[in-house]
Amino acid sequence: MNSKTIVVIALSSLFMTAPYAASQENASIEVSYTASTANFRQGGNSRPNRYILLANAHDSKFYSPMTEYLDSLQSTPEGDARYKEMARGAYLGGNIDKMPRRDGSYYIFKSADENKITSYDINGVEKYFYEEEIPAIDWELTDSTATILGYTCQMATADFRGRNWSVWFAPDVPVASGPWKLGGLPGLILKATDSSGLYDFEATGLQQTSRPMVPVYSAGDYEKTDRKEFLKAKRQFIDNPVSSINTQLSGVGISIGALGNEIKHKPRKEIDFIETDY
C-alpha cells in the first residue's frame, strides 16, 4: 500500500468522524504551497512565497511559515532583540539578501461552524484584521483533469471578486478547502491560477498532521477594519507610498524624506490585488 493510499484512507476516516472533531484546534492535514503574486513595482510576478494550509473538517489556517517565525520572534522582548541582532548583522556584513524578511504578509483562518473567514494583514507598518462570511463561490466543473502530487484532480472555474480562477481539486482528499480564500469544492484544491497569470498557488506537499492551528502572534496589535476599506487603504498606500509612510511614522517622529522618491509602483490598471472588487 503506497503512502498516497494510506493518506486517503486515513483522511477519510478522520472526516467521517467530523461531528466529534468540531471542537478540536489541531489540523488533520498539512499542505505546502508555492504562491506567486503580483510584483507591484516591476510588473509581472514576484518570486514565489511558501505558504502552508493546516486544515481539519471544520477549520483551516493559511499562512507563511517564515512570516509566522518572525512574528513569533518579535512577540517577546527577547525575541525582538534577537530579530534586530539578525537584521543588524546582515546589514553590517553587507549581506542584505540575508536580512530576515517576511515571506508574504497575511494569515487566513476559516471556520465552517461559524461560516467565517478572519484575515490578518499589514498596510505599511500598520496591522489590521477583518472578518467576513465564507463566500459561496459559483464553481463550474469541467471534464479536464490533471495529476498533482499523485492525485487525480478535476478542473473547475469561477469568477471571484474580479478575477477568473481555474483550479484543480482532488476528490480523493475530502477537504472542501484550499489556498487563500478558495474552497467550497468536493475535494482539496491543489492548484489555482487566475487568468492574468499574476496569482498562482500550487501544492508541493501533502501529509497527515496533528499540528495545532496556532493563533496569530500579538493578535491584539491588529486593528479591526472592513475588507474593502482595508484594500482601499492599501491601494492608497501603494499609489502614494511616501505620503502614506510618513503619515504612519509621524507618531514616532520619523520621516523617510527624499529616499522615498525612489519608491514607485505600477498603476492599478496594470497591477492590482488578488481581489479587485473594492
Side-chain angles (χ1 to χ4, degrees), residues 260-273:
N261 293 329
E262 300 177 5
I263 304 176
K264 296 180 180 180
H265 298 93
K266 299 288 185 180
R268 182 177 178 182
K269 63 181 180 181
E270 293 184 30
I271 299 288
D272 206 357
F273 302 130

Side-chain angles (χ1 to χ4, degrees), residues 2-38:
N2 61 38
S3 59
K4 171 181 172 292
T5 303
I6 294 173
V7 169
V8 170
I9 293 174
L11 289 177
S12 296
S13 63
L14 281 168
F15 285 91
M16 284 175 65
T17 60
Y20 302 96
S23 64
Q24 73 170 341
E25 297 180 0
N26 288 357
S28 298
I29 62 169
E30 176 180 335
V31 192
S32 299
Y33 291 88
T34 55
S36 296
T37 58

